[in-house]
Amino acid sequence: MTLTFHWFLPTYGDSRDVVGGGHGLPAGAASGARPATLSYLRQIVHAAEQVGFVGALTPTGAWCEDAWLTTAMLADTTERLKFLVAFRPGLVSPTLAAQMAATFQWHSRGRLLLNVVTGGESHEQRAYGDFLDKDARYARTDEFLQVVRALWRGETVSLSGDHLQVEDARLNRLPDPVPDVYFGGSSPAAGRVAARHVDAYLTWGEPPDAVARKIAWVNGLAAAEGRTLRHGIRLHVITRDTSEQAWAQARRLLDGIDQATLEKVQAGLGRSESEGQKRMLALHGGRRDDLEIYPNLWAGVGLVRGGAGTALVGSHAEVADRIEEYHRLGLAEFVLSGYPHLEEAYWFGEGVLPILRERGLWRHPAEPASAEPASIPFATAGAQ
């Protein structure tokens, strides 16, 4: 199986240090030395496309720029890269969301992927005018995706649900192709939605044993619905020519986190309703020591950042080994990021991906499936 890699668009700003934000942190908490201007984000998407990432995840929330508008403004500057747009059901009607996706597919020539984010923080949802509790939000997501999927099939849809009502809804233009739906969540309600509606289930970067249990759980739910899912993982990366260089960078990032900021962020994240966020917090417990929770898996990012809080740290070969280990569990897609996102895209793309290519686990998306490995003229010629 050829692995698929996606990168990340920091639409809240970027830095040589860890930039916080998301999952219970207030709007404006994210910041960085590099503002998320279109010119800077273009540098990142061009780098990601060049080195071989398939797509780029764009976050959603009050702490970052709008994902739909930002990616729409970037799509015309790239040729192949897809945009994994995070969006929240319930903030727009399912008919409008289905139409937006179809329009994006048309103008981008089929380069939209969707990351459905139900919303794990009630206080943030209320800021958007959404006053449902967590379980009700997942029930609404179920109804939402039921409508959207039917519209994408070209059906005329009427639904009178507990949370959503549409009557004689129909799309004038169908998305071509239908965008894959990505989704993550660790609660029972999230598992039910994933089993019924999504194409790819994403987990945050927990140790392999925990990831294996989560995959088995979701696969069992999907099988009961007569479906199968792809699986992916969301991780940060710090990869260098040597292990010592990579861990030195991790220590530098940790040294840049002052104790007052750490305590403030951890207090905010501790109020999170997200089961996944609780699992991230449990990996480090707010401590600065013992952050390598599994070989090459570092929990330091989660000290000041909500959401994905672990990073693969090591030499290019070590990071490739961990990716191969996760792949053996059934993971086919990796959504990665690093600080700064521009430089780390090159570190990973030029350091790790060639190793995975040599192992037969990856090929560049622009490379024909039957292409032979490139050869360098005279490289094998005898000395003259």
Side-chain angles (χ1 to χ4, degrees):
M1 179 189 300
T2 299
L3 299 179
T4 298
F5 292 93
H6 307 280
W7 198 237
F8 186 83
L9 283 179
T11 54
Y12 44 84
D14 202 3
S15 174
R16 291 185 179 276
D17 297 308
V18 179
V19 180
H23 278 268
L25 300 183
S31 62
R34 302 180 188 179
T37 61
L38 285 175
S39 61
Y40 180 62
L41 295 176
R42 286 190 188 105
Q43 292 183 62
I44 295 174
V45 296
H46 290 157
E49 185 170 71
Q50 177 183 339
V51 301
F53 290 101
V54 167
L57 172 64
T58 309
T60 181
W63 50 283
C64 56
E65 302 299 332
D66 179 74
W68 284 103
L69 291 175
T70 302
T71 53
M73 297 177 76
L74 292 171
D76 199 40
T77 69
T78 55
E79 298 177 358
R80 172 189 50 77
L81 192 74
K82 298 180 181 180
F83 293 93
L84 181 49
V85 175
F87 80 106
R88 302 190 182 201
L91 303 186
V92 297
S93 78
T95 307
L96 179 57
Q99 182 184 23
M100 291 166 64
T103 299
F104 200 115
Q105 287 296 65
W106 183 41
H107 288 306
S108 70
R109 303 177 302 281
R111 292 189 288 134
L112 174 67
L113 306 168
L114 289 177
N115 179 33
V116 176
V117 179
T118 297
E121 319 302 336
S122 290
H123 78 274
E124 185 180 20
Q125 294 297 125
R126 290 193 294 268
Y128 283 102
D130 177 14
F131 288 83
L132 296 182
D133 63 25
K134 180 180 175 182
D135 285 343
R137 290 196 297 270
Y138 276 109
R140 181 181 57 196
T141 298
D142 196 330
E143 294 179 3
F144 186 97
L145 290 174
Q146 178 183 338
V147 173
V148 168
R149 289 290 201 186
L151 288 170
W152 285 346
R153 291 193 296 267
E155 299 174 14
T156 299
V157 183
S158 294
L159 174 72
S160 181
D162 293 334
H163 304 286
L164 298 174
Q165 293 80 40
V166 298
E167 184 175 336
D168 294 333
R170 189 174 181 86
L171 295 182
N172 181 56
R173 177 188 300 280
L174 299 182
D176 182 22
V178 171
D180 280 356
V181 174
Y182 291 68
F183 180 89
S186 300
S187 68
R192 289 191 293 270
V193 173
R196 293 170 183 166
H197 298 292
V198 310
D199 300 294
Y201 176 81
L202 295 176
T203 181
W204 285 333
E206 299 178 50
D209 285 350
V211 171
R213 289 192 295 271
K214 188 176 288 187
I215 290 174
W217 166 64
V218 174
N219 281 345
L221 295 174
E225 298 287 339
R227 305 182 68 242
T228 58
L229 307 179
R230 302 197 310 276
H231 293 279
I233 192 168
R234 172 77 180 92
L235 287 159
H236 306 277
V237 286
I238 305 173
T239 178
R240 294 293 186 271
D241 294 336
T242 69
S243 182
E244 292 76 16
Q245 291 170 345
W247 284 108
Q249 171 66 1
R251 289 191 296 272
R252 193 196 69 78
L253 292 177
L254 185 62
D255 290 344
I257 301 172
D258 66 85
Q259 189 62 26
T261 298
L262 187 156
E263 292 173 0
K264 181 180 179 180
V265 170
Q266 288 300 300
L269 294 177
R271 294 189 291 269
S272 174
E273 300 170 19
S274 165
E275 184 64 29
Q277 183 62 69
K278 294 174 184 177
R279 293 166 72 113
M280 285 286 101
L281 294 178
L283 294 178
H284 56 69
R287 305 184 311 274
R288 286 178 175 268
D289 58 343
D290 296 324
L291 291 174
E292 189 178 7
I293 57 175
Y294 186 81
N296 306 110
L297 185 63
W298 184 65
V301 176
L303 293 175
V304 291
R305 185 194 192 277
T310 53
L312 295 179
V313 181
S315 68
H316 304 315
E318 288 171 337
V319 171
D321 289 343
R322 294 288 79 74
I323 287 173
E324 189 169 357
E325 182 177 2
Y326 278 117
H327 170 53
R328 288 195 295 268
L329 302 178
L331 295 172
E333 303 199 27
F334 293 76
V335 184
L336 307 175
S337 56
Y339 299 98
H341 289 73
L342 178 60
E343 287 92 326
E344 288 296 340
Y346 283 115
W347 275 114
F348 183 85
E350 297 174 347
V352 178
L353 289 181
I355 295 174
L356 295 173
R357 188 180 190 276
E358 291 174 0
R359 297 180 184 181
L361 295 174
W362 176 82
R363 64 179 178 84
H364 196 289
E367 176 186 317
S370 60
E372 294 295 327
S375 61
I376 302 173
F378 314 116
T380 59
Q384 301 297 315

